[in-house]
Amino acid sequence: MELLTTFILSVFIVYKSFRTPMVGVALLLQINIVRSLVGLDIFNPCFYCREPDFILGAIVPVLCFVVIIIKLRLSGKVKYVLDYYDVYFTSTILVLFLTSIYSKDFINSIGFSLKYIFLGSSYYFISKIILINVNNPYKQLKSFFIWSLGITVIFGLLGTYLYIFKGEFVYRLTLPGVHAIPFSQLIGLGVFVSFLIFLTSGRIFDIQSKFSINLNKVLLPVTMLILFGTNTRGVMLSLAVAIIFYLYAAKVKIPKRTLYISGGLILAGLIVVINYIELEVLFSRILAKQTNESTESRYIAYIDSLDLFIKHPLGIGPSSFKYYSSLPYPHNLILENIAEYGVFGLLNIVYLFCIILYMFKLTITKARISPWFIIIFSLFLYYFFETMFSFTLWMHKGMYLFMGVFAAHHYLYRKNK
């Protein structure tokens, strides 16, 4: 049964990647959540069973990227434009292989580097290639967002059901076999998309159906409550940054009536949810004291990373932090770069921040001309801020994807101008 489910999911994702490439990318971005359907037992779910799935986790994404390239090639010559953003990814790949030479575990470091190329940075390149080469890039982009919201609603409601009725000893809302952080990131993305639909009454995504617009008014508070249930502080903070920046850059003025209605719906939803989930459980990590395990591990990451940077200025190699610390990796993009890649990593981070400032300047100066700059950069910020709290280098595919989308939009803007 599990093999059949894997086969059906694989065929569906590959088909969507060929049919509508950005929809395929939307599914691949959430592949960790999608693959939880394999072996899912809704009657006796195992929330802490996390077995690797090489087919859906590695083979299908690479296969889909190849299929997308073939699809674009069949439509004509595939074009690619080099720019400032590509320098960051090229230099990172060079640093990975250079520092692998003198790492403690060469094979492990090379494996990590290949993951970064095929399962991480590939999201930057493929999203950029798609939007530059398709005839209707913004229709593709809108499909990406609508599908992302749909995936959020489906998996969010499924996770909520299992959490409420089957997750007696589970303290963070997620799906069986899925870590709470990527699940929370999916929900946060859906909340942002739903928020945009709510603010623009569907205009930004060409939604004209009154039923869909009114349905979204229900989905927004529901997805927000699901996000609270994930108890993931980093994602909540990142989403707050993204929304605040969007409101600031777009100069949005929300009517008081809208605020009252939204607040009332959220409050009513909270009352309902609290009837099923104890308040202490729902907000346990948000209200936790600074002495909790998560904070202590981050303190260790800071100390160990700075110590490694001083003692090994040329770095220790990819995925080598675990040999010098009690932690597997620093859970912070900046710390990981300086700890594992030394001065090379530091230069890479400096260049990345220069790119971010460049993206910020473009967004602010072009905001009135093209609102897509604001949307894309806001979502880049959403994923970038989470890199300060979670994951390792090859796992930041959301950030890489929106860098690619931003680069493509910038190119299309210059071309049309």
Side-chain angles (χ1 to χ4, degrees):
M1 189 63 183
E2 290 187 8
L3 283 175
L4 178 61
T5 307
T6 300
F7 176 75
I8 293 172
L9 288 173
S10 300
V11 171
F12 177 73
I13 296 170
V14 171
Y15 169 75
K16 294 305 296 185
S17 297
F18 184 82
R19 184 76 178 173
T20 312
M22 284 305 292
V23 171
V25 172
L27 289 165
L28 291 173
L29 183 63
Q30 313 303 339
I31 196 67
N32 284 332
I33 290 91
V34 173
R35 68 184 186 181
S36 67
L37 294 175
V38 178
L40 176 63
D41 184 353
I42 61 173
F43 300 105
N44 188 29
C46 179
F47 283 88
Y48 298 106
C49 300
R50 298 192 179 109
E51 296 181 4
D53 188 332
F54 186 71
I55 295 176
L56 285 171
I59 293 177
V60 169
V62 174
L63 177 60
C64 286
F65 295 152
V66 173
V67 166
I68 290 170
I69 297 295
I70 293 173
K71 163 75 182 288
L72 296 174
R73 187 67 185 87
L74 292 174
S75 303
K77 186 178 179 181
V78 178
K79 177 170 54 179
Y80 190 84
V81 180
L82 294 172
D83 49 39
Y84 301 118
Y85 314 97
D86 293 271
V87 175
Y88 169 72
F89 290 97
T90 304
S91 63
T92 300
I93 292 170
L94 291 174
V95 167
L96 285 171
F97 283 107
L98 173 64
T99 54
S100 293
I101 296 172
Y102 48 83
S103 69
K104 274 198 171 185
D105 189 338
F106 176 76
I107 300 299
N108 176 61
S109 294
I110 290 297
F112 182 93
S113 303
L114 293 176
K115 284 182 181 179
Y116 175 80
I117 294 172
F118 292 107
L119 302 177
S121 64
S122 52
Y123 284 86
Y124 164 81
F125 294 106
I126 200 66
S127 61
K128 184 177 175 181
I129 289 171
I130 292 170
L131 296 176
I132 285 177
N133 287 277
V134 294
N135 294 325
N136 46 3
Y138 296 103
K139 184 178 179 181
Q140 289 272 342
L141 201 52
K142 291 169 186 175
S143 297
F144 170 88
F145 286 119
I146 296 302
W147 271 77
S148 294
L149 178 57
I151 296 168
T152 297
V153 173
I154 292 169
F155 286 99
L157 292 177
L158 176 61
T160 302
Y161 168 80
L162 294 174
Y163 180 72
I164 292 174
F165 296 104
K166 302 292 181 179
E168 183 178 356
F169 301 105
V170 180
Y171 298 101
R172 300 175 72 180
L173 196 159
T174 185
L175 284 166
V178 178
H179 194 281
I181 296 175
F183 181 80
S184 182
Q185 275 196 319
L186 164 64
I187 305 302
L189 175 60
V191 170
F192 188 87
V193 174
S194 181
F195 180 71
L196 287 181
I197 295 172
F198 175 73
L199 278 183
T200 64
S201 298
R203 291 187 302 274
I204 192 67
F205 299 126
D206 295 331
I207 299 173
Q208 298 177 353
S209 167
K210 287 186 178 180
F211 173 78
S212 299
I213 294 170
N214 289 328
L215 176 62
N216 182 70
K217 292 177 182 177
V218 177
L219 294 179
L220 179 56
V222 168
T223 51
M224 288 179 67
L225 290 170
I226 295 173
L227 182 63
F228 275 114
T230 64
N231 275 337
T232 310
R233 293 169 296 188
V235 174
M236 294 184 201
L237 175 62
S238 302
L239 180 62
V241 169
I243 290 176
I244 290 170
F245 176 80
Y246 177 83
L247 294 174
Y248 164 76
K251 295 180 169 48
V252 176
K253 293 183 179 179
I254 304 176
K256 289 185 178 179
R257 181 172 174 270
T258 302
L259 287 174
Y260 293 148
I261 293 173
S262 304
L265 287 172
I266 294 171
L267 180 61
L270 272 174
I271 292 171
V272 172
V273 170
I274 290 169
N275 283 331
Y276 290 97
I277 307 172
E278 294 182 7
L279 188 63
E280 292 81 2
V281 173
L282 183 62
F283 298 103
S284 60
R285 296 186 79 252
I286 300 173
L287 303 176
K289 295 180 180 180
Q290 294 301 309
T291 54
N292 63 30
E293 183 180 346
S294 176
T295 305
E296 288 177 1
S297 66
R298 283 178 170 79
Y299 176 76
I300 293 170
Y302 276 94
I303 297 299
D304 290 349
S305 297
L306 293 174
D307 184 59
L308 283 170
F309 180 70
I310 294 170
K311 293 180 178 178
H312 303 271
L314 296 181
I316 56 176
S319 190
S320 296
F321 188 78
K322 57 192 173 187
Y323 299 118
Y324 300 85
S325 174
S326 58
L327 303 175
Y329 48 86
H331 295 270
N332 180 290
L333 181 63
I334 298 173
L335 295 180
E336 182 175 359
N337 269 272
I338 65 171
E340 296 193 334
Y341 315 115
V343 291
F344 304 118
L346 179 61
L347 291 173
N348 244 13
I349 285 295
V350 170
Y351 185 76
L352 175 61
F353 275 93
C354 289
I355 291 177
I356 294 172
L357 289 174
Y358 177 63
M359 294 167 68
F360 173 78
K361 181 182 176 183
L362 276 174
T363 301
I364 297 300
T365 55
K366 310 296 182 184
R368 291 188 178 183
I369 302 172
S370 175
W372 280 109
F373 274 114
I374 307 174
I375 296 171
I376 298 166
F377 186 68
S378 297
L379 282 168
F380 167 80
L381 287 179
Y382 169 63
Y383 282 100
F384 171 73
F385 268 85
E386 182 57 24
T387 68
M388 300 296 107
F389 309 104
S390 306
F391 303 136
T392 186
L393 193 63
W394 71 270
M395 299 179 184
H396 302 311
K397 53 189 180 181
M399 183 184 83
Y400 304 147
L401 188 151
F402 281 100
M403 282 184 75
V405 173
F406 191 95
H409 174 60
H410 186 200
Y411 165 78
L412 294 170
Y413 170 80
R414 294 197 312 268
K415 180 183 175 183
N416 293 334
K417 186 177 179 180

